[in-house]
């Protein structure tokens, strides 16, 4: 039977890019403006393949997430988390978790392609303390423009409880912001009638332009912001571990919670912009499936 990706109990924070619909929350304070939270690392992409529904389905949910103002920030922020996920039997989906795209599978292999949006990074704080975007530590760095992105993902179900995934996020606009790549392993450590617990580990890497945009300091930025000039190389910039749990009250209602930690690596950890290399992330939301 054909399988497609459907809403998952995991909400990748900054580890994965912001998707198109989630960017609507930007004015309320996005999860790490340079990433996806899930984040963020995490933007938000579902990796778990599911059996295609016999009919179209729609999931709505609301909750809250906690992350940092930018990658390497020591300022924690809270933001509303909106879940809207529509999926059809043919694999088409439109989602705040996954963007706008198509997902499918062939045997144990599953894949998806989607359009998303990487939200801008502001140099000045916006919104009330603890809730807004931007940071005083980015003053003089200039704003980073948002960009439309193409998201491509391929995964392999090693076992019914274990998935391995590789993904990329390529900018379609503001191409100078650079591209990201990642690897992820997700294991269901508990699978019961009403409860599912998943443990995930991921690795994120960026090309040279991505690293310079989000972790580098150009000579002009150094003169304006007072930081030392810094030119990071392409490579791995973050590792993340996440534990998530979903409790289903009924076939329609569920409650999902996630707790994770991100650790900057290599030149990202050495960047003058980095004020904390280890960053906690968390999210909780209730959802209803039609």
């Amino acid at each position: 039977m054909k399988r497609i990706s459907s809403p998952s109990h995991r909400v990748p924070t900054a580890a994965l890019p912001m998707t198109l619909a989630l960017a609507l929350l930007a004015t309320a304070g996005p999860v790490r403006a340079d990433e996806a939270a899930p984040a963020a690392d995490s933007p938000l992409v579902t990796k778990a393949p599911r059996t295609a529904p016999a009919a179209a389905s729609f999931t709505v949910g609301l909750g809250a997430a906690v992350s940092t103002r930018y990658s390497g920030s020591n300022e924690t922020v809270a933001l509303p988390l909106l879940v809207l996920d529509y999926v059809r039997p043919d694999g088409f989906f439109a989602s705040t978790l996954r963007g706008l795209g198509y997902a499918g599978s062939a045997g144990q292999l599953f894949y998806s392609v989607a359009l998303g949006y990487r939200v801008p990074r502001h140099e000045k704080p916006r919104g009330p303390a603890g809730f807004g975007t931007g940071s005083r530590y980015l003053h003089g760095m200039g704003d980073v423009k948002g960009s439309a992105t193409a998201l491509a993902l391929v995964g392999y179900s090693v076992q019914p409880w274990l998935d391995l995934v590789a993904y990329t996020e390529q900018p379609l606009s503001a191409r100078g912001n650079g591209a990201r790549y990642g690897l992820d392993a997700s294991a269901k450590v508990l699978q019961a009638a009403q409860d599912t617990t998943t443990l995930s580990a991921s690795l994120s890497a960026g090309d040279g332009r991505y690293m310079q945009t989000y972790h580098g300091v150009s000579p002009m930025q150094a003169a304006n912001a007072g930081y030392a000039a810094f030119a990071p190389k392409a490579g791995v910039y973050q590792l993340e571990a996440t534990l998530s749990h979903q409790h289903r009250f009924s076939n329609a209602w569920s409650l999902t919670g996630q707790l994770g930690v991100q650790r900057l690596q290599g030149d990202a950890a050495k960047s003058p912009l980095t004020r904390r290399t280890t960053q906690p992330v968390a999210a909780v939301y209730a959802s209803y499936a039609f």
Side-chain angles (χ1 to χ4, degrees), residues 173-225:
S173 64
R175 297 182 65 86
N177 289 354
R180 303 193 310 125
Y181 306 86
L183 299 173
D184 182 278
S186 299
K188 293 180 182 177
V189 295
L190 172 65
Q191 182 75 68
Q194 293 180 293
D195 296 276
T196 302
T197 301
T198 302
L199 180 63
S200 301
S202 64
L203 173 152
S204 298
D207 64 12
R209 291 184 297 179
Y210 181 90
M211 294 297 291
Q212 184 62 43
T213 299
Y214 298 106
H215 299 284
V217 181
S218 70
M220 181 178 294
Q221 289 173 325
N224 293 333

Side-chain angles (χ1 to χ4, degrees), residues 81-214:
L81 180 60
L82 175 66
V83 178
L84 297 172
D85 192 278
Y86 172 76
V87 60
R88 294 194 320 216
D90 61 4
F92 170 82
F93 60 83
S95 172
T96 56
L97 299 180
R98 299 177 289 161
L100 179 69
Y102 172 84
S105 68
Q108 292 173 276
L109 186 71
F110 57 97
Y111 53 88
S112 70
V113 290
L115 295 176
Y117 182 74
R118 191 191 300 170
V119 299
R121 187 185 75 181
H122 301 294
E123 68 167 343
K124 296 180 180 180
R126 298 187 179 188
F131 293 93
T133 183
S135 172
R136 60 192 177 96
Y137 296 113
L138 296 175
H139 182 70
M141 291 294 296
D143 291 343
V144 176
K145 294 182 179 180
S147 57
T149 59
L151 314 173
L153 174 154
V154 61
Y156 185 79
S157 293
V158 181
Q159 297 289 339
W161 53 271
L162 177 62
D163 289 342
L164 302 179
V165 168
Y167 72 89
T168 182
E169 177 201 38
Q170 300 289 327
L172 300 178
S173 64
R175 297 182 65 86
N177 289 354
R180 303 193 310 125
Y181 306 86
L183 299 173
D184 182 278
S186 299
K188 293 180 182 177
V189 295
L190 172 65
Q191 182 75 68
Q194 293 180 293
D195 296 276
T196 302
T197 301
T198 302
L199 180 63
S200 301
S202 64
L203 173 152
S204 298
D207 64 12
R209 291 184 297 179
Y210 181 90
M211 294 297 291
Q212 184 62 43
T213 299
Y214 298 106

